[in-house]
Amino acid sequence: MNGVANLSLAGNTAVGEIAFIDLRAQQRAIRTRIEARLKAVLDHGRYIAGPEIEELEALLAEKTGAAAAVACASGTAALIIPLLAAGVDTGDAVFIPAFSYNATANAVLLTGATPVFVDIDPATFNMDARDLEARISDVKREGKLRPAAVIPVDLFGSPADYRAIGRIAAREGLFLLADGAQGFGGRLDGKWVGDLAPATATSFFPGKALGAYGDAGAILSQDLSVVERWMSIRWHGTDSARKNSVCVGFNGRMDTFQAAVLLEKLAIFDEEREARQAVAAIYDRRLSAIGRPQQHLAGAQSGHGYYSLRLFRRDEVAKELKARGVPTAIYYSTPLHKMPAFERYAPARPLPATEEVANDILSLPMHPYLTPDQVHYICDCVEAALR
Ligand SMILES: Cc1ncc(COP(=O)(O)O)c(C=O)c1O
């Protein structure tokens, strides 16, 4: 999902330049405040573990309803740390959707465990709870791996089915870790992503709905008792006095400059979130008759980090949109089980919904600074391309 190339502005259109994600417009709105925050860090000089880290952690927990937040170096670090803390290890099966960014699979493999790919729901693009049950049965029947954990992904910002997956995880004794790297701002049954699973990893990669000016992430916990261990792992496994190694860890910390930037971005997050909802509402209204926009669970609201839909003649539409100055992206044209690094973990039983969606998915520009005219122009272009 790290679409750095897509952050740049596209060419001029009838309604001005349309960016896939517009970080410049956001920066214009809050530049003075960000500069003041960065200056404060330069003044106190605590580039690692500065006061902004704890300030951010407290605000992230407050915003999401989580018991605690642990700031991390990246979303990937935020996935690896809770897996290590839960003791996930060689010989363990970790169930993940086959339709995700490669970081979900990498995090599992870096702990020594084995990813077991689960199919998605072709409407929500998120892990299919019924297929999860079938894959758990497969693993048990084969008897080679121990079912240990499940990592649903909130694809494009839409919360996964934590109700059903939570029940399965509890019944099967699986550690439930939410990959909310794309999910920040999503809600289910009135709760925020971050408070929908015992542990949630999120990413603050610059292009995410809440993005830093570099790499950053966080783990959110419903349970205070795990936090000390997570903090230790993110600091090379040392104790809080920084004297002894108490477990295996690595450098998984967020640096203070990123926390300073995130504090100012968090201050405008609700406003931006509403603007994203308004953009998505126009897209949904205009495009539901000609494509299949991502569906959200009843009781769920996407954070709309991205706006994606399934479209007939997807590749031709993308080409035509590009010619009309509308940048698009395909997340993901290759499912994880077909990538060279992971194909040895491809299951014997197929993953039909994953493969179907990979063939016709397209992501349209999504950011809070798109004007209604621009969104309508994009919809006009999609309509024209399909005519
Ligand atoms: C689903 C998913 N998981 C994990 C990550 C990893 O986050 P990061 O790039 O911050 O390490 C990403 C990043 O794009 C992602 O989209």
Side-chain angles (χ1 to χ4, degrees):
M1 177 61 64
N2 290 356
V4 177
N6 290 308
L7 301 182
S8 62
L9 293 175
N12 273 313
T13 68
V15 288
E17 287 178 332
I18 294 177
F20 188 73
I21 292 172
D22 195 345
L23 296 181
R24 291 188 213 176
Q26 185 197 48
Q27 194 188 99
R28 276 195 296 277
I30 54 172
R31 175 136 185 167
T32 318
R33 282 181 275 159
I34 286 190
E35 282 178 354
R37 280 282 186 184
L38 296 178
K39 180 176 178 304
V41 179
L42 289 171
D43 289 345
H44 68 57
R46 292 181 58 195
Y47 307 119
I48 299 296
E52 288 80 1
I53 296 287
E54 279 189 14
E55 189 183 343
L56 177 69
E57 289 176 334
L59 284 175
L60 287 172
E62 188 187 308
K63 168 131 290 247
T64 57
V70 174
C72 295
S74 65
T76 308
L79 283 169
I80 294 172
I81 291 168
L83 288 173
L84 292 177
V88 169
D89 208 340
T90 309
D92 285 344
V94 179
F95 299 88
I96 64 171
F99 196 61
S100 181
Y101 186 53
N102 59 12
T104 318
N106 281 331
V108 172
L109 284 160
L110 286 166
T111 68
T114 301
V116 176
F117 295 115
V118 178
D119 209 0
I120 55 166
D121 177 315
T124 65
F125 316 151
N126 280 332
M127 183 183 275
D128 177 345
R130 271 169 312 179
D131 194 58
L132 170 64
E133 302 214 63
R135 305 280 164 184
I136 295 171
S137 301
D138 290 351
V139 167
K140 285 182 175 169
R141 199 172 42 251
E142 281 163 20
K144 291 190 195 134
L145 297 168
R146 183 184 75 93
V150 54
I151 312 182
V153 175
D154 304 322
L155 208 70
F156 308 131
S158 190
D161 190 355
Y162 292 102
R163 298 178 200 123
I165 294 170
R167 277 195 298 273
I168 297 167
R171 192 188 67 216
E172 299 289 337
L174 302 178
F175 172 52
L176 171 57
L177 169 63
D179 182 343
Q182 301 175 21
F184 196 82
R187 286 188 212 170
L188 179 63
D189 298 333
K191 286 181 165 188
W192 278 64
V193 164
D195 191 22
L196 296 171
T200 300
T202 196
S203 165
F204 303 129
F205 176 80
K208 297 286 195 271
L210 178 63
Y213 284 162
D215 280 309
I219 327 164
L220 298 145
S221 180
Q222 288 177 322
D223 170 13
L224 279 178
S225 72
V226 295
V227 168
E228 199 181 323
R229 175 55 63 124
W230 290 356
M231 286 182 166
S232 172
I233 294 173
R234 84 168 166 185
W235 200 300
H236 301 286
T238 46
D239 58 14
S240 54
R242 313 263 173 260
K243 288 207 161 77
N244 276 313
S245 243
V246 291
C247 59
V248 174
F250 62 103
N251 181 353
R253 300 177 297 244
M254 183 190 292
D255 72 72
T256 311
F257 278 117
Q258 299 310 330
V261 170
L262 285 165
L263 281 166
E264 287 310 320
K265 296 226 195 172
L266 195 55
I268 57 163
F269 185 77
D270 285 347
E271 223 174 285
E272 290 197 337
R273 187 179 177 280
E274 269 177 38
R276 288 174 185 276
Q277 305 292 341
V279 171
I282 301 177
Y283 276 145
D284 281 347
R285 204 167 56 243
R286 295 275 319 267
L287 300 177
S288 291
I290 53 173
R292 284 182 280 173
Q294 181 179 29
Q295 300 293 296
H296 312 295
L297 294 176
Q301 217 182 42
S302 176
H304 283 303
Y306 304 85
Y307 187 90
S308 308
L309 78 171
R310 301 181 60 187
L311 275 177
F312 181 57
R313 294 201 286 114
R314 182 262 322 266
D315 293 336
E316 288 158 61
V317 174
K319 220 161 128 191
E320 281 212 34
L321 289 178
K322 188 173 178 206
R324 292 166 191 254
V326 178
T328 59
I330 298 176
Y331 303 128
Y332 303 93
S333 51
T334 308
L336 294 177
H337 65 287
K338 300 224 153 157
M339 291 189 173
F342 312 124
E343 62 193 358
R344 57 186 285 227
Y345 306 104
R349 236 165 12 84
L351 295 150
T354 295
E355 295 190 15
E356 237 178 69
V357 173
N359 281 333
D360 62 9
I361 191 92
L362 186 71
S363 295
L364 299 177
M366 169 51 87
H367 62 79
Y369 302 91
L370 281 168
T371 65
D373 281 352
Q374 288 178 323
V375 186
H376 282 293
Y377 171 80
I378 296 165
C379 295
D380 291 344
C381 291
V382 176
E383 272 176 5
L386 283 169
R387 222 171 267 142

